[in-house]
Amino acid sequence: MPPDVPAEPLLELEPLAGIAIGRRLRLIRNRREAAVLLGPTPIHIYGVGDRAGETATIALLARTKLASDIEIGAAFGRHRNTVARVTQRLEREGLSSLVPAKRGPKGPSKVTPGIRLLVAENSGLGSTELRELVRQRSGVLLSTGYLRALRLEQRTTSQLELHGAKLVAPEAEPESVEVPAADAPVAAPAAVPESSRGRYLGGALYFPALESMGLLEAARECFRLPNSELFGVRAVMLTLFYLTLLGKTTVEAAKHLSRWEFGPLIGVVRAPAVKTLRRKLAELVAQAQATHFGELLSRRWVEQGVLATAFLYVDGHMKLYTGKRKLAEVWNSQRRMPLPGVLNYFVNDQQGRPLLFVTEEANARLANVMPRMVKAIREVLGDRRFSVIFDRGGYDGKLFDWLGEQGIDFITYQRGNPKLALDRFVRRECRFEGKRVRMQLAEDKVKVGGSGPWRRIVLRVGDGHQTPILTSLGDELGAARIASLILARWRQENFFRYMREHHGLDQLLGYAHAAADGARLVANPERKAVERELKLRRQELAARRAELGQAVLDEPLDGGRSSHGLKVAQKGKVSRMRSLEAAIAELVERQRALPTKVPLADVGKREVMRLEQKAIIDRVKLTAYNAEEWLLDRLLPHYPNPHDIRALLRSFAELSGELRTVGNRVVVILDPPDTPLHRRALRGLCQDLNQIGATFPGTDLPVVYAVAMHHSELAA
């Protein structure tokens, strides 16, 4: 080579940070090549997409012991068991054993081009008829399952060639199709079976609700699973969605499902196994899009009118942690004590339907979290006006002033018992959600910590108890309606109870942890301990004073003055009272010297849960709850008993049936329930869903619902 011509570099890499492998190695990739560096020196180079070269690199790295199998597997996206297996194969059989052999039969395929052409020309026949035709014409006997896969492959290939590597319906306009980049992976299309019978097909009733919830659209915008031949984002999200509806509250519960019967419901031949779901979820977690995913879902629910946003209820919900990590303690309202756990603040509408939630790493009062909640709500609602309703955890004058500055009205409870005179209460009534409500109410104005004055509405119930309600809303909203709004806050508690019992909202799904933000300020536990001791000493002092006063009243007087016996008897009590007063003064000084807030690191709670996976799954669970509510609104006109309508809808999701592809549409035929009332409700629901219209998830194929005849109806 001439000296004036620079030598071509061995490897041209873009300036990427790469992936650390242990402490000394680093993996760097560009679009063409990949290299493993030991310091600045490349020790292994292979082409991107060269599976055999990558496997050999993994095995050779594992032999050097420069990194553990877990670290090597994490860098290359392989399991640690795979790393150990290829290393053993290298040591036992040599480097040639890492080159993959041809999979499947080694001889020529019996499916010749002539057979493929025959299948394509007779695509309108059923699988059994087509199988017999192929046997008669060519002498080759194929299974019906293979024929279905072959026809799906041909249909997918023709559509990919026609529409630029994107699967769309034949009637779609070509110019409306978004063609992905050349290096972008093509998502696995939905595999709609020609005919399938089995359990779980009652879940197909949720196809219209899925379109309204926008679950798949939000997931496709936030997440990517590039190397997924079968189980892409669509299949994973649908699996999580239907696991929730079927009462399978964890990913591990998927092992109890029949994968071949569950698969047609989500548009795959067979549903993913538990280990596949774990791997896919790990890839989604690494993309850190759970918050954006939740925002897209909430916006879609508001746009579709799934939730009413004029009045929003904010409340905290604690998830108990039972592991051994040192987590911050959160107040548990059920056990009435602080316990390690995770605190979420939920926002629900007037019917209890969830809009969003925000996770708090450490224990925090609602009054301190409310600015974050308002920010999250405004990111979803935009400029829409709304009012917030919350319990006494947000009772704080500074918060009331801040909400007023933000132009947000509030309704909450006032602390304490007002003890108003009975003549101040008058009967008020209003129509709330179609029903007439009558109450005994009194009104006035009060100040809270220098803020206000605020409108106070006191509710008196039959036993004489008085409940004070505080609000910034003016007289344009009647007192009875304001009281009805805050009493409806229990619907949010019912939502927590239902989600805990049927959808596993309180399950943490994992115990992965990370270092907490040590600079975060939390309540000083030493100050709390001093306050508790101070309270006990003051109670004891009050009791001693009461005893002494009672003794003075009971002792007979001699010449207008206390007898000598009284002074001797009470001398010890007075001495004890003086000691208590001195101890109280000392505790007060200690309390003043202690700061109210201290950094989290000083408390010793240095760890928090990694909740990205739970955040994704919980948002899918909220979508499932809102989908249930959407279907309940359609089922209610056909079923007279609203008390067990949720249980009836859950039973519909577990119905068996048959799914058929007839022409350019999908027909779902459900097996009828045994109870006539339930059959009528199901048929009415199916008729309404047919009028609304829905498509099979991931396709443009319309879905039609029907209910088969019951054996009693056939006999009649």
Side-chain angles (χ1 to χ4, degrees), residues 148 191-205 207 242 261-268 656-662 665-671 696-697 701-706:
R148 285 196 297 267
V192 184
E194 182 177 337
S195 179
S196 176
R197 177 169 182 80
R199 294 168 287 178
Y200 319 122
L201 286 180
L205 293 170
F207 288 167
Y242 280 111
E261 293 181 281
F262 189 74
L265 181 63
I266 62 175
V268 293
S656 58
E658 185 176 358
L659 189 147
R660 301 176 185 171
T661 302
V662 181
R665 64 178 182 172
V666 177
V667 179
V668 178
I669 305 174
L670 300 177
D671 292 342
F696 193 91
L701 298 175
V703 179
V704 178
Y705 298 97

Side-chain angles (χ1 to χ4, degrees), residues 421-609:
L422 296 182
D423 57 359
R424 296 187 57 181
F425 290 89
V426 296
R427 193 180 79 164
R428 301 286 179 87
E429 66 176 39
C430 70
R431 294 195 66 84
F432 185 73
E433 297 180 348
K435 297 181 180 179
R436 180 170 295 179
V437 181
R438 297 183 178 90
M439 301 178 181
Q440 291 289 330
L441 301 175
E443 283 195 63
D444 57 7
K445 291 185 178 294
V446 295
K447 287 190 174 184
V448 178
S451 69
W454 307 109
R455 182 183 179 189
R456 183 174 70 170
I457 301 169
V458 182
L459 169 66
R460 182 178 179 272
V461 294
D463 61 357
H465 179 74
Q466 299 181 10
T467 303
I469 302 168
L470 213 62
T471 181
S472 61
L473 292 166
D475 295 334
E476 68 276 2
L477 205 63
R481 179 166 177 79
I482 291 176
S484 300
L485 283 170
I486 196 168
L487 292 178
R489 195 185 67 84
W490 289 106
R491 293 174 179 172
Q492 193 175 29
E493 298 294 338
N494 293 336
F495 158 76
F496 291 144
R497 186 181 301 109
Y498 183 84
M499 291 293 293
R500 182 171 58 248
E501 293 177 358
H502 297 285
H503 295 336
L505 183 64
D506 288 356
Q507 293 178 345
L508 290 176
L509 305 175
Y511 288 89
H513 63 283
D517 181 8
R520 185 185 182 94
L521 295 179
V522 296
N524 189 351
E526 295 184 11
R527 186 181 178 92
K528 287 186 175 181
V530 173
E531 290 174 352
R532 286 194 295 267
E533 186 177 357
L534 185 60
K535 181 180 179 180
L536 293 175
R537 296 294 178 89
R538 284 173 172 169
Q539 290 176 348
E540 184 181 356
L541 178 60
R544 297 278 183 177
R545 286 175 174 172
E547 291 177 3
L548 183 60
Q550 188 63 40
V552 171
L553 292 175
D554 294 341
E555 184 72 16
L557 299 180
D558 183 11
R561 304 178 65 181
S562 298
S563 66
H564 178 71
L566 174 64
K567 295 180 179 180
V568 174
Q570 303 302 329
K571 185 176 181 180
K573 293 183 179 181
V574 173
S575 176
R576 176 58 181 166
M577 288 170 55
R578 297 292 179 258
S579 300
L580 286 173
E581 290 173 351
I584 289 173
E586 182 182 354
L587 288 173
V588 169
E589 292 299 324
R590 285 178 57 190
Q591 184 185 32
R592 291 174 180 173
L594 291 172
T596 306
K597 301 284 186 178
V598 294
L600 184 62
D602 296 345
V603 182
K605 312 294 193 302
R606 301 171 181 265
E607 296 174 341
V608 294
M609 299 295 299

Side-chain angles (χ1 to χ4, degrees), residues 149-172:
L150 184 60
R151 287 201 289 191
L152 177 63
E153 177 188 349
Q154 291 177 345
R155 184 165 65 247
T156 303
T157 302
S158 61
Q159 290 174 343
L160 289 176
E161 292 175 353
L162 179 62
H163 298 296
K166 184 175 178 64
L167 182 64
V168 297
E171 63 270 19

